[in-house]
Amino acid sequence: MFTASSGSSSSRPYLGGRNAQYDGLINRKKTKYFHFLQIIGFFLKHLDGSFIMVNCCGLVSEKNVPVPLKSISVQLQVRDHVASVSSSLQYANEEDRPLEAVFIFPLPGDAAVSHFSARIGEQEIVAEVQDKQSARDQYHDAVSSGQQAFLLEESDQSSDVFRLNVGCLSPGQTAIVTIIYIIELSVQADNALRFCLPAVLNPRYTPAASAEPPVPGVSSASVIPYILSLSVDVRSSDRISRLESSCPLDPLQFLNAQHTHATVNLSTGHRFDKDVELLLYYENTHQPTAVVEAGAAAAQTGSLMGDPALMISLYPEFPADVMSSLASQSEFIFVVDRSESMSYKMHHGKDAQKRIESAKDTLLLLLKSLPMGCYFNIYGFGSRFECFFPQSVVYSEVTMEAALRRVKCMNADMGGTEILWPLKHIYSQPCYPDHPRQLFVFTDGEVWNTKKVLDLVKSHVDSHRCFSFGIGEGASTALVTGMAREGSGHAQFITGTDRMQPKVMQSLRFALQPAVDNISVDWTVPEGVTVDMLSPPINALFQGQRALIYAQIKGQSSGETEGAVTVKYKLKDQPVTNQLQFTLKPVEDTGLTIHRLAARSVIRSLELQERAGGADMENIRSRIVELSVQAGVSSVHTAFIGVNKDSRQTVKGPLLQRRVPTRSMMIGGPMPRWGTAPLITLGAAGCFTMPVQQQSAVCAPSAKRRMVFQSTDSSVMDAFASASHQAEPELQKDPVLQLVSLQKAVGCWELNAALADVFGKTEDEVTNQKPAQVDGSVWATVLALIWLYVYKLDQQVEWQFVAVKAASWIRSQKPDGLSQCVCEGNLLLGSQVTEDTLGI
């Protein structure tokens, strides 16, 4: 991890990529859809309604000359918790004929695209937002008549995938396309604000039976023939502590004595072959803030863009004594992506672990860390899905060991990525009373129906909480962050050389901690002024979760210039009140950032209502288009269209359209076919498997009845036992994982040779040092705790719950001679720790 001393942040315009997949044939009178990939996008070659694939890699012409993207320049402006990103992309037509290119590229799922323009020579074309179908018609008419045109639109299936059409570039002509978008920076478990500029867009798996067009993807960026320039400007009401990046940065430059304004650049010559991740740290992260922004001068008073807008940032820090009390009455369901892409390595470095292997190690830690008294289950999914148990089972030594044997057998062998069906199956299962259900979803984020998945998660947020983990570069931000947002959980991304285990265990701590509920927001403003909430209500707020509240200020006050917002909530049934003062004097020079983010929030809520269906669909759609056009931000029903109507000459001759695939087309491969398989089968490995085509039957009440088994059903345990010869646990290479793998569900360790080997001792050495009055398991458990605290303290986030269980078990035994036990353990392991340090 590279650090820009004391601060630094990053941006992310993305246009990095390389693969692409065609999403439909082009009809002259209808909408032309090519799905090429942006940075290494595909070119299509049209021949009598069919397309011929040219077996080349990268973005090249028929003569293997790189075209047409030449460079990417990004400027990132961070203001407290939000950022504005400006990306300039230079394209050149090096063909000897006119060119039309279409690129698919990623943007953050919650981005508000607010500007799109193109410069051809001295001519600048600024696009405007229009109804999507009107924009498409205008684009096709312009291209058909030989005019230069540009079209930018959001994918219907996922809000983090955009399509850019560059039409009618003359031979030798260069175009510079500029895209500006605004985003909320996500908060990480260590309080950092994260910004990521993806270098790749992974292909989104589309089932063969689906009527939806496939979303193309991109593969390794190592062949990209250009470099990325990135500059970052950070302004904050809080002091900037530091900025870290996955890529080399120039030294951070502070521009004032208060350290609230700083700039930094990506080091010169950076090759855009991996995601650029920036982590920004402030000194007082939990300090609430309020910013009032003046409306647009040209906008009508009373409209969303005409009146002042307010953004409140709430990131509460809860009392340590409350957060230290961990709940055991929960149900945990771990949902693991087992599509073929999970066989890819975590990063490009030496000895990089495969994604599926890292997920298996993480499951080991999770299963060992669960509290006694909870329920759990594990799902694997791809083109089909399977669950370890027909319904969640009580956590015990028997069920934990059965699950671990199955985890050892897991492979990335389940085809494509279809997460909707296992989620539907989970949500169809009745919850256990007084055991809130918590989902941990692991995926490399390559699904095609993101919006349907998010709608499903949101519809069950009252009974299910969702933690999501994006694995590897190119994971869909819309999917990973969206599931956590709609499921009132927390999202984590594991990229580069990040280890999965510490991030997942941080989320487990959040899952075990109490949540804030009964949240209310009240406004105190002068007479003549009112405040209208634009954000949806906050139902729950957890440790490590930030909320940004958008509101609109209407009316005017004759005298007073101050207002206040009071946020009330309950934490473990204790009432808490926080009040924040703000000025009614708006900030003028903001570029309408807050207004546009507020408009985006309202638009997303309306889109969710529209997808839910109802009688008012047409009015909702009209309102979305109205807000999108008024605010100048993207939506699913609008697009940015720019046409060079002032060009003195039109392009003559037919346009070249190409498709140049990269080495791999769809990561998931073809969708497996099934015959008349039974609804649910208990496989040889003891897991319940279901083809996704039969999911609809699963949700029927009769199907549910067929799936219910008692958690103690011996046939289930026998099935796992019969598979154990295929899945005998192997000793972990990582010493911590090796030690954890030996722990019992109740929290203790047994005194044996495998444990002694972790300490670098023989079994006789460990046994002979044991105090006579101390039980072997107590001695072994004390030694394990000492070893963790002395030699693996830097990995405490990973083993914290393992240690909590161990200490709790020791206390429950009330052993004699515990002080002597710790003393002898220190002698054996060459350490000096106290009983208080060990928590015993």
Side-chain angles (χ1 to χ4, degrees):
M1 180 72 77
F2 296 92
T3 302
S5 62
S6 246
S8 147
S9 168
S10 145
S11 135
R12 74 168 159 193
Y14 311 70
L15 285 112
R18 352 156 210 179
N19 243 18
Q21 201 115 352
Y22 176 57
D23 78 341
L25 288 182
I26 303 148
N27 185 307
R28 198 66 160 154
K29 299 274 184 177
K30 296 181 180 178
T31 305
K32 287 183 183 173
Y33 276 166
F34 309 90
H35 261 154
F36 303 58
L37 196 215
Q38 182 278 344
I39 300 203
I40 285 196
F42 284 177
F43 283 98
L44 301 183
K45 184 150 192 178
H46 185 273
L47 267 163
D48 296 327
S50 63
F51 288 84
I52 294 179
M53 314 263 286
V54 183
N55 190 19
C56 307
C57 296
L59 191 59
V60 297
S61 70
E62 289 177 331
K63 299 177 181 179
N64 286 328
V65 178
V67 301
L69 183 61
K70 292 300 180 182
S71 66
I72 296 181
S73 175
V74 178
Q75 292 81 43
L76 173 66
Q77 291 186 327
V78 178
R79 300 295 179 267
D80 292 315
H81 283 234
V82 301
S84 175
V85 185
S86 176
S87 304
S88 294
L89 313 154
Q90 183 176 3
Y91 296 92
N93 180 11
E94 298 178 347
E95 304 280 350
D96 56 5
R97 291 171 58 187
L99 175 71
E100 178 178 26
V102 185
F103 303 94
I104 301 298
F105 58 92
L107 287 179
D110 293 328
V113 178
S114 59
H115 174 87
F116 175 47
S117 63
R119 178 175 291 277
I120 302 175
E122 297 301 317
Q123 179 70 37
E124 184 177 19
I125 308 165
V126 179
E128 61 181 20
V129 180
Q130 295 184 8
D131 178 88
K132 182 177 282 188
Q133 191 56 54
S134 298
R136 288 172 176 174
D137 292 342
Q138 187 174 341
Y139 173 81
H140 297 318
D141 289 344
V143 172
S144 298
S145 62
Q147 293 178 305
Q148 291 162 336
F150 300 83
L151 179 70
L152 179 71
E153 58 183 319
E154 177 184 316
S155 165
D156 292 336
Q157 280 75 48
S158 182
S159 61
D160 67 341
V161 179
F162 278 72
R163 177 191 295 108
L164 169 62
N165 294 60
V166 181
C168 288
L169 282 180
S170 300
Q173 197 167 50
T174 297
I176 299 177
V177 174
T178 299
I179 300 170
I180 299 177
Y181 62 89
I182 307 162
I183 59 166
E184 301 173 354
L185 298 178
S186 62
V187 179
Q188 302 303 286
D190 63 352
N191 298 331
L193 297 179
R194 179 182 186 266
F195 184 87
C196 179
L197 181 64
V200 297
L201 169 64
N202 289 331
R204 308 296 168 86
Y205 178 80
T206 305
S210 172
E212 303 291 346
V215 175
V218 289
S219 57
S220 170
S222 60
V223 297
I224 293 177
Y226 59 84
I227 60 175
L228 167 73
S229 65
L230 172 65
S231 64
V232 183
D233 183 276
V234 184
R235 296 175 189 263
S236 172
S237 55
D238 190 9
R239 283 177 63 91
I240 301 165
S241 174
R242 69 184 188 278
L243 187 135
E244 298 177 353
S245 176
S246 58
C247 303
L249 300 173
D250 291 342
L252 186 70
Q253 301 291 326
F254 286 105
L255 303 184
N256 62 9
Q258 295 77 30
H259 283 200
T260 58
H261 185 193
T263 61
V264 71
N265 295 320
L266 195 64
S267 296
T268 303
H270 174 71
R271 190 173 178 85
F272 198 19
D273 57 356
K274 63 179 179 180
D275 290 358
V276 178
E277 182 183 55
L278 295 174
L279 300 174
L280 174 63
Y281 296 83
Y282 294 136
E283 285 192 3
N284 302 299
T285 310
H286 295 281
Q287 182 68 36
T289 60
V291 180
V292 178
E293 180 182 77
Q300 181 180 357
T301 302
S303 67
L304 187 146
M305 300 302 290
D307 287 334
L310 170 67
M311 181 180 73
I312 303 291
S313 173
L314 294 177
Y315 186 34
E317 185 173 25
F318 304 140
D321 58 336
V322 175
M323 292 298 100
S324 62
S325 60
L326 304 178
S328 62
Q329 299 293 98
S330 291
E331 177 187 359
F332 298 93
I333 299 183
F334 306 111
V335 186
V336 182
D337 191 339
R338 288 179 54 187
S339 62
E340 292 178 17
S341 58
M342 288 291 288
S343 65
Y344 292 6
K345 292 191 173 182
M346 294 289 293
H347 55 86
H348 301 300
K350 185 179 179 181
D351 300 326
Q353 193 177 29
K354 289 183 178 180
R355 297 174 186 178
I356 189 65
E357 295 301 323
S358 182
K360 289 163 66 173
D361 286 347
T362 303
L363 284 174
L364 166 66
L365 265 180
L366 284 168
L367 287 171
K368 293 289 185 174
S369 300
L370 292 181
M372 299 297 290
C374 74
Y375 288 81
F376 80 100
N377 204 348
I378 299 176
Y379 281 68
F381 72 92
S383 304
R384 63 189 190 280
F385 70 90
E386 62 184 31
C387 47
F388 282 17
F389 305 98
Q391 62 186 33
S392 293
V393 294
V394 175
Y395 180 73
S396 68
E397 185 68 27
V398 174
T399 56
M400 181 194 75
E401 287 298 330
L404 283 173
R405 285 195 293 270
R406 181 66 189 111
V407 166
K408 292 293 181 182
C409 290
M410 287 173 57
N411 291 305
D413 56 1
M414 298 185 74
T417 308
E418 295 187 54
I419 195 172
L420 185 64
W421 310 120
L423 289 178
K424 283 188 174 182
H425 182 256
I426 291 168
Y427 291 140
S428 73
Q429 301 294 302
C431 295
Y432 292 97
D434 300 322
H435 285 74
R437 182 175 288 171
Q438 316 223 40
L439 274 61
F440 281 61
V441 180
F442 302 84
T443 180
D444 46 16
E446 300 153 2
V447 301
W448 60 281
N449 51 356
T450 301
K451 292 180 180 178
K452 290 182 179 179
V453 173
L454 300 189
D455 291 348
L456 180 66
V457 173
K458 186 171 183 63
S459 67
H460 291 84
V461 68
D462 291 338
S463 56
H464 296 68
R465 191 176 173 207
C466 185
F467 294 85
S468 53
F469 305 89
I471 304 170
E473 295 177 351
S476 168
T477 59
L479 178 70
V480 177
T481 61
M483 290 183 71
R485 181 186 65 249
E486 305 300 351
S488 293
H490 193 274
Q492 300 263 28
F493 288 87
I494 300 100
T495 60
T497 57
D498 289 347
R499 282 174 55 82
M500 187 184 302
Q501 290 83 0
K503 293 195 173 186
V504 173
M505 301 312 290
Q506 286 170 338
S507 291
L508 179 60
R509 173 169 285 279
F510 295 156
L512 290 170
Q513 288 171 341
V516 163
D517 54 17
N518 293 331
I519 301 172
S520 65
V521 179
D522 298 312
W523 305 92
T524 303
V525 291
E527 186 176 353
V529 177
T530 60
V531 178
D532 289 349
M533 285 281 286
L534 298 176
S535 301
I538 304 173
N539 297 317
L541 197 60
F542 297 87
Q543 173 80 327
Q545 188 176 26
R546 179 210 55 203
L548 293 180
I549 301 173
Y550 298 101
Q552 188 172 15
I553 300 175
K554 296 184 176 181
Q556 291 185 343
S557 170
S558 57
E560 295 183 63
T561 60
E562 294 293 322
V565 58
T566 303
V567 180
K568 297 179 181 179
Y569 53 80
K570 284 189 176 181
L571 179 61
K572 292 199 73 174
D573 296 326
Q574 296 298 312
V576 181
T577 300
N578 288 328
Q579 188 175 71
L580 178 64
Q581 303 288 330
F582 59 88
T583 178
L584 294 175
K585 185 179 180 181
V587 177
E588 300 289 345
D589 185 21
T590 60
L592 297 174
T593 298
I594 295 173
H595 281 78
R596 288 183 169 128
L597 285 173
R600 184 63 162 165
S601 176
V602 175
I603 288 170
R604 284 296 184 231
S605 296
L606 290 170
E607 289 175 349
L608 186 63
Q609 291 178 37
E610 182 186 31
R611 293 197 298 272
D616 207 24
M617 301 272 286
E618 188 57 39
N619 288 336
I620 292 176
R621 185 188 186 282
S622 298
R623 178 60 176 157
I624 291 172
V625 173
E626 178 188 357
L627 279 175
S628 179
V629 172
Q630 181 188 135
V633 298
S634 56
S635 76
V636 71
H637 293 308
T638 54
F640 283 87
I641 175 68
V643 178
N644 187 3
K645 299 178 181 178
D646 298 330
S647 178
R648 296 183 180 179
Q649 63 180 24
T650 57
V651 176
K652 305 295 183 182
L655 297 178
L656 291 179
Q657 299 167 346
R658 313 186 183 286
R659 183 182 196 178
V660 182
T662 52
R663 287 184 290 271
S664 63
M665 291 298 297
M666 294 295 282
I667 286 181
M671 180 179 178
R673 304 294 181 183
W674 294 276
T676 56
L679 176 66
I680 302 176
T681 58
L682 179 59
C687 58
F688 295 82
T689 307
M690 191 178 309
V692 296
Q693 291 96 325
Q694 299 179 0
Q695 164 59 27
S696 59
V698 174
C699 298
S702 59
K704 286 185 189 177
R705 286 194 293 271
R706 276 185 282 172
M707 294 172 56
V708 173
F709 292 82
Q710 293 297 321
S711 60
T712 56
D713 192 323
S714 61
S715 64
V716 177
M717 298 303 113
D718 292 343
F720 278 104
S722 68
S724 62
H725 69 280
Q726 306 172 17
E728 285 299 327
E730 299 176 1
L731 290 182
Q732 303 287 334
K733 294 181 180 179
D734 183 290
V736 171
L737 292 178
Q738 184 177 347
L739 178 72
V740 170
S741 69
L742 299 173
Q743 189 185 33
K744 298 298 182 181
V746 293
C748 69
W749 277 266
E750 292 181 347
L751 187 59
N752 53 35
L755 181 67
D757 185 62
V758 174
F759 306 145
K761 307 288 183 180
T762 65
E763 185 175 5
D764 287 343
E765 287 178 300
V766 174
T767 303
N768 293 338
Q769 194 76 23
K770 182 181 77 66
Q773 72 273 33
V774 175
D775 176 79
S777 293
V778 171
W779 170 240
T781 306
V782 169
L783 288 178
L785 282 176
I786 293 174
W787 184 83
L788 286 171
Y789 277 99
V790 173
Y791 297 104
K792 297 300 175 181
L793 192 60
D794 59 332
Q795 292 179 241
Q796 186 174 8
V797 170
E798 300 181 36
W799 51 259
Q800 56 184 319
F801 297 112
V802 165
V804 167
K805 288 174 66 174
S808 176
W809 180 84
I810 291 174
R811 292 193 302 269
S812 71
Q813 301 303 300
K814 300 178 180 179
D816 294 329
L818 188 57
S819 297
Q820 183 186 356
C821 189
V822 173
C823 182
E824 294 295 337
N826 280 324
L827 287 174
L828 178 66
L829 299 178
S831 58
Q832 291 182 344
V833 296
T834 65
E835 295 173 49
D836 288 341
T837 299
L838 302 179
I840 58 176

